[in-house]
């Protein structure tokens, strides 16, 4: 089978399949309230009141009348009221009662907690009480690490905020709604797929719903630090000798012009006071007495202390320089080769959305075992714990928003969502030294509407953070004989180009890779996805699809092909671990899992894991320059 023509066919097939098969498409109502301005940076370094634990839940199946009125408008007088039915004499409320309802753990997806909700995509209501003692001169925010996909928040029956996007945090000011004593919060989470959503309706990962990451109350003084950026100044060229200037800003919410902010980094000999401008922003450039730059070999993090008025905040930040020069990726001025893996935010062993320290430890344990220095967190921002661990462990990170294959590129409101998601991703993780590039999309159809959308989005990311390369994972091109000329116009907007290809699995035979000649522009190229499916424990010949030996064989031919592409600066096999996907339904082989992992979902290493472990140990595939 000479599979080449299959290139273009694959993406068409898969998206058509997704659109028709996997879900009921409804146009969800527009959010009632302006998107959140508030995303508190460094919340995980603040003292908070955790609201994690058992929350009562109620399932509000389509058309979800507890939440949406006919026509889709969000109701404030439905389940959000948290009233109780008068069982004995009536009249009932709308016949719901959180107080006697079962509970779900937060954080966590509902799908793997309650068997009846395993394949449920729709609205689930969460409710819990909490005690609160208001403190004068403070504001209190409800911090939600992530909730998939749309969420609507009420406190004490008062509508507080809405949010769209399953993988980035948001903070809602609940100060005015709180009272001394017992309070309650009600959150409706709607995981229904939306054709105008990001991602849209077709995805190759499990659509876990719920309050999937930490929820807490954050009380801060009226004037407080809500955002900051402390990084090694990104000069036009890098010189190790001069790499001692830190630059950035501290934004103080509620501050008037001229408000003092103290920036202290004791280990770097920095102790300086800066002043805010009329917008509450205090920008700075300050020289460190000495600075050890962050790198995989030396993931040095500095204790950074910020204080203004009554507010104090610390963070652990590494300082490093990352840039592109020609086809090279330079970390602190040195060419690097990225030896990585793709990873979905799925918990090894127990399954479900990954959110805990244990999940993160397990995942980084596999990456360390693999001798990896890089991980692509796909296709959406993962729990902040991942970047924190990457900072500590010296693992470089590709972070991405879920513009996955087809979305409604033609709709301005969808572009607005994408810019907000890029903004949230960058705001949460801009101070993470481990994050070395932002990705705006994965495998998107090469047409002018999409290219304009993503070019603008790439420039928006670059505007928000001019210190990191911008990337995206491309698909195609159409092969001409053995010639693969990647000429996707989106590359003009990218600093680093990711190339996804599945020669040997979706396209052709493994050995076809031996004769393929790739043409790429003079930019760093990352093989951002390549691989094949193999069921752990399934053994056979090297051409026996689904056998571990076949997966190894596909990679052997890939390595030879990649060695012939001078611009390749990194390997990112698809995928570190088998993961759940609703479209992978070949019994006994897939059983609801994408089986392209180097390890199985329960951590069993396939032969291909050892193959990469050896290649990465010996640095035997690819060159940094
Ligand atoms: C794509 C896509 C992944 C998907 C993979 C696969 O390249 O980016 O999300 O899981 O192919 O088909 O296994």
């Amino acid at each position: 089978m000479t599979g080449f023509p299959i290139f273009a066919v694959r993406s068409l097939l898969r998206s058509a399949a997704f659109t028709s098969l996997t879900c009921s498409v409804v146009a969800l109502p527009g959010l009632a309230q302006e998107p959140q301005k508030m995303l508190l940076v460094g919340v995980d370094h603040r003292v908070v009141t955790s609201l994690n634990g058992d929350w009562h839940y109620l399932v509000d199946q389509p058309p979800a009348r507890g939440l949406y009125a006919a026509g889709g408008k969000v109701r404030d007088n439905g389940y959000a009221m948290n009233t109780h039915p008068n069982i004995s004499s009536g009249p009932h409320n709308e016949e719901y009662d959180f107080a006697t309802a079962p509970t779900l753990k937060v954080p966590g997806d509902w799908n793997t907690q309650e068997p009846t909700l395993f394949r449920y995509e729709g609205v689930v209501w969460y409710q819990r009480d909490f005690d609160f003692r208001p403190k004068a001169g403070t504001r209190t925010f409800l911090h939600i690490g992530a909730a998939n996909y749309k969420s609507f928040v009420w406190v004490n029956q008062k509508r507080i905020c809405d949010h769209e996007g399953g993988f980035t945090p948001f903070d809602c000011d609940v100060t005015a709604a709180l009272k001394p004593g017992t309070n309650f919060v009600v959150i409706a989470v709607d995981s229904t797929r939306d054709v105008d959503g990001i991602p849209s309706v077709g995805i190759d990962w499990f659509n876990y719903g719920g309050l999937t990451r930490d929820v807490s109350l954050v009380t801060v003084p009226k004037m407080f630090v809500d955002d900051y950026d402390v990084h090694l100044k990104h000069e036009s060229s890098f010189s190790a000798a001069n790499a001692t200037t830190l630059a950035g800003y501290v934004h103080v919410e509620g501050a008037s012009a001229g408000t003092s902010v103290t920036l202290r980094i004791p280990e770097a000999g920095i102790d300086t006071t800066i002043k805010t401008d009329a917008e509450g922003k205090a920008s700075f450039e300050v020289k460190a007495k000495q600075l050890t730059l962050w790198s995989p070999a030396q993931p040095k993090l500095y204790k950074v202390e910020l204080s203004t008025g009554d507010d104090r905040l610390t963070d652990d930040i590494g300082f490093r320089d990352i840039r592109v020069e020609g086809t090279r990726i330079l970390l602190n001025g040195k060419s690097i080769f990225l030896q990585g893996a793709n990873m979905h935010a799925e918990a090894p062993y127990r399954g479900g959305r990954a959110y805990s320290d244990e999940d993160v430890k397990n995942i980084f344990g596999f990456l360390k075992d693999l001798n990896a220095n890089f991980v692509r967190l796909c296709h959406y921002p993962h729990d902040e714990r991942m970047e924190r661990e990457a900072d500590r462990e010296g693992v470089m990170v590709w972070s991405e928003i879920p513009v996955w294959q087809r979305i409604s590129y033609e709709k301005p409101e969808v572009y607005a969502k994408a810019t907000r998601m890029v903004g949230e991703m960058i705001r949460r993780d801009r101070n993470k030294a481990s994050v070395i590039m932002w990705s705006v999309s994965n495998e998107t159809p090469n047409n002018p509407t999409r290219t304009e959308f993503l070019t603008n989005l790439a420039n928006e990311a670059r505007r928000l953070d001019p210190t990191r390369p911008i990337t995206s994972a491309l698909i195609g091109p159409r092969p001409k004989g053995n010639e693969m000329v990647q000429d996707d116009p989106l590359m003009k907007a990218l600093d680093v180009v990711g190339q996804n290809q599945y020669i040997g699995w979706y396209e052709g035979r493994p050995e076809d890779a031996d004769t393929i000649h790739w043409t790429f522009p003079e930019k760093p190229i990352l093989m951002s996805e390549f691989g094949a499916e193999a069921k752990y424990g399934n053994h056979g010949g090297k051409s026996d699809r689904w056998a571990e030996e076949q997966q190894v064989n596909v990679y052997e031919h890939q390595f030879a092909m990649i060695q012939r592409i001078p611009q390749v600066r990194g390997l990112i096999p698809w995928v570190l671990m088998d993961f759940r996907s609703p479209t992978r339904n070949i019994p006994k082989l897939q059983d609801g899992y994408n089986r392209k992992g180097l390890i199985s979902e329960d951590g069993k290493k396939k032969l291909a894991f050892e193959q990469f472990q050896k290649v990465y140990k010996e640095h035997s595939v690819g060159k940094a320059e």
Side-chain angles (χ1 to χ4, degrees), residues 455-466:
T455 298
N456 294 340
L457 195 60
N459 292 335
E460 170 64 6
R462 204 170 272 118
R463 182 186 68 77
L464 291 169
D465 179 5

Side-chain angles (χ1 to χ4, degrees), residues 14 204 379 404 442-443 502 506 529 574 584 594 596:
R14 288 169 55 69
D204 185 22
H379 294 289
W404 192 87
N442 176 74
E443 290 197 354
Y502 284 90
Y506 290 126
E529 288 186 31
W574 185 266
R584 306 291 173 168
N594 182 312
K596 296 190 183 69

